[in-house]
Short mmCIF file of all heavy atoms in Angstrom, two decimals:
data_model
loop_
_atom_site.label_atom_id
_atom_site.label_comp_id
_atom_site.label_asym_id
_atom_site.label_seq_id
_atom_site.Cartn_x
_atom_site.Cartn_y
_atom_site.Cartn_z
N THR A 173 -124.00 -107.78 -93.00
CA THR A 173 -124.93 -107.73 -91.87
C THR A 173 -124.33 -106.96 -90.70
O THR A 173 -125.05 -106.26 -89.98
CB THR A 173 -125.37 -109.15 -91.43
OG1 THR A 173 -124.22 -109.91 -91.08
CG2 THR A 173 -126.15 -109.85 -92.52
N PHE A 174 -123.02 -107.04 -90.53
CA PHE A 174 -122.35 -106.27 -89.48
C PHE A 174 -122.49 -104.77 -89.76
O PHE A 174 -122.77 -103.98 -88.83
CB PHE A 174 -120.86 -106.66 -89.40
CG PHE A 174 -120.10 -105.97 -88.31
CD1 PHE A 174 -120.26 -106.33 -86.99
CD2 PHE A 174 -119.23 -104.92 -88.61
CE1 PHE A 174 -119.57 -105.69 -85.97
CE2 PHE A 174 -118.53 -104.27 -87.61
CZ PHE A 174 -118.70 -104.66 -86.29
N VAL A 175 -122.33 -104.37 -91.01
CA VAL A 175 -122.50 -102.96 -91.37
C VAL A 175 -123.91 -102.50 -91.00
O VAL A 175 -124.08 -101.44 -90.39
CB VAL A 175 -122.22 -102.72 -92.87
CG1 VAL A 175 -122.71 -101.34 -93.32
CG2 VAL A 175 -120.73 -102.87 -93.17
N TYR A 176 -124.90 -103.30 -91.33
CA TYR A 176 -126.29 -102.92 -91.05
C TYR A 176 -126.62 -102.92 -89.56
O TYR A 176 -127.28 -102.01 -89.06
CB TYR A 176 -127.26 -103.87 -91.77
CG TYR A 176 -127.61 -103.41 -93.17
CD1 TYR A 176 -126.73 -103.56 -94.22
CD2 TYR A 176 -128.85 -102.82 -93.42
CE1 TYR A 176 -127.05 -103.15 -95.49
CE2 TYR A 176 -129.19 -102.41 -94.69
CZ TYR A 176 -128.29 -102.56 -95.72
OH TYR A 176 -128.62 -102.15 -96.99
N LYS A 177 -126.19 -103.96 -88.86
CA LYS A 177 -126.59 -104.12 -87.45
C LYS A 177 -125.73 -103.35 -86.46
O LYS A 177 -126.22 -102.95 -85.40
CB LYS A 177 -126.56 -105.60 -87.07
CG LYS A 177 -127.62 -106.43 -87.74
CD LYS A 177 -127.48 -107.88 -87.30
CE LYS A 177 -128.52 -108.77 -87.91
NZ LYS A 177 -128.34 -110.18 -87.49
N ASP A 178 -124.44 -103.18 -86.77
CA ASP A 178 -123.53 -102.64 -85.76
C ASP A 178 -122.85 -101.33 -86.15
O ASP A 178 -122.40 -100.60 -85.27
CB ASP A 178 -122.44 -103.67 -85.44
CG ASP A 178 -123.01 -104.94 -84.86
OD1 ASP A 178 -123.52 -104.87 -83.73
OD2 ASP A 178 -122.95 -105.99 -85.52
N VAL A 179 -122.75 -101.05 -87.43
CA VAL A 179 -122.00 -99.87 -87.85
C VAL A 179 -122.90 -98.67 -88.11
O VAL A 179 -122.77 -97.65 -87.43
CB VAL A 179 -121.13 -100.18 -89.10
CG1 VAL A 179 -120.38 -98.93 -89.55
CG2 VAL A 179 -120.15 -101.31 -88.81
N VAL A 180 -123.79 -98.77 -89.07
CA VAL A 180 -124.57 -97.59 -89.45
C VAL A 180 -125.49 -97.08 -88.33
O VAL A 180 -125.83 -95.91 -88.32
CB VAL A 180 -125.36 -97.79 -90.76
CG1 VAL A 180 -124.41 -98.02 -91.92
CG2 VAL A 180 -126.37 -98.89 -90.65
N VAL A 181 -125.82 -97.94 -87.39
CA VAL A 181 -126.66 -97.50 -86.27
C VAL A 181 -125.91 -96.50 -85.38
O VAL A 181 -126.55 -95.76 -84.62
CB VAL A 181 -127.17 -98.69 -85.43
CG1 VAL A 181 -128.09 -99.56 -86.27
CG2 VAL A 181 -126.03 -99.50 -84.85
N GLN A 182 -124.59 -96.47 -85.48
CA GLN A 182 -123.80 -95.53 -84.68
C GLN A 182 -123.66 -94.17 -85.36
O GLN A 182 -123.26 -93.21 -84.74
CB GLN A 182 -122.40 -96.08 -84.41
CG GLN A 182 -122.37 -97.22 -83.46
CD GLN A 182 -120.96 -97.53 -83.00
OE1 GLN A 182 -119.99 -96.86 -83.33
NE2 GLN A 182 -120.84 -98.57 -82.21
N LEU A 183 -123.99 -94.10 -86.64
CA LEU A 183 -123.81 -92.86 -87.37
C LEU A 183 -124.95 -91.89 -87.07
O LEU A 183 -126.08 -92.31 -86.82
CB LEU A 183 -123.72 -93.13 -88.87
CG LEU A 183 -122.60 -94.09 -89.29
CD1 LEU A 183 -122.61 -94.28 -90.80
CD2 LEU A 183 -121.25 -93.61 -88.83
N PRO A 184 -124.66 -90.60 -87.10
CA PRO A 184 -125.70 -89.60 -86.78
C PRO A 184 -126.87 -89.64 -87.77
O PRO A 184 -126.69 -89.97 -88.94
CB PRO A 184 -124.96 -88.26 -86.90
CG PRO A 184 -123.52 -88.57 -86.99
CD PRO A 184 -123.37 -89.99 -87.41
N LYS A 185 -128.03 -89.27 -87.29
CA LYS A 185 -129.24 -89.25 -88.12
C LYS A 185 -129.08 -88.31 -89.31
O LYS A 185 -129.63 -88.57 -90.38
CB LYS A 185 -130.47 -88.83 -87.30
CG LYS A 185 -130.84 -89.82 -86.22
CD LYS A 185 -131.43 -91.07 -86.80
CE LYS A 185 -131.87 -91.99 -85.68
NZ LYS A 185 -131.73 -93.38 -86.00
N ASP A 186 -128.34 -87.23 -89.14
CA ASP A 186 -128.19 -86.29 -90.25
C ASP A 186 -127.29 -86.83 -91.37
O ASP A 186 -127.16 -86.22 -92.42
CB ASP A 186 -127.71 -84.91 -89.78
CG ASP A 186 -126.33 -84.92 -89.14
OD1 ASP A 186 -125.85 -86.00 -88.75
OD2 ASP A 186 -125.75 -83.83 -89.03
N GLU A 187 -126.69 -87.99 -91.14
CA GLU A 187 -125.90 -88.67 -92.18
C GLU A 187 -126.71 -89.77 -92.88
O GLU A 187 -126.18 -90.49 -93.71
CB GLU A 187 -124.64 -89.29 -91.57
CG GLU A 187 -123.59 -88.28 -91.19
CD GLU A 187 -122.98 -87.56 -92.39
OE1 GLU A 187 -122.91 -88.15 -93.49
OE2 GLU A 187 -122.59 -86.40 -92.23
#
Side-chain angles (χ1 to χ4, degrees):
T173 58
F174 183 75
V175 166
Y176 271 76
K177 291 179 179 179
D178 298 293
V179 178
V180 296
V181 296
Q182 290 192 3
L183 302 180
K185 294 288 183 213
D186 63 343
E187 287 294 330

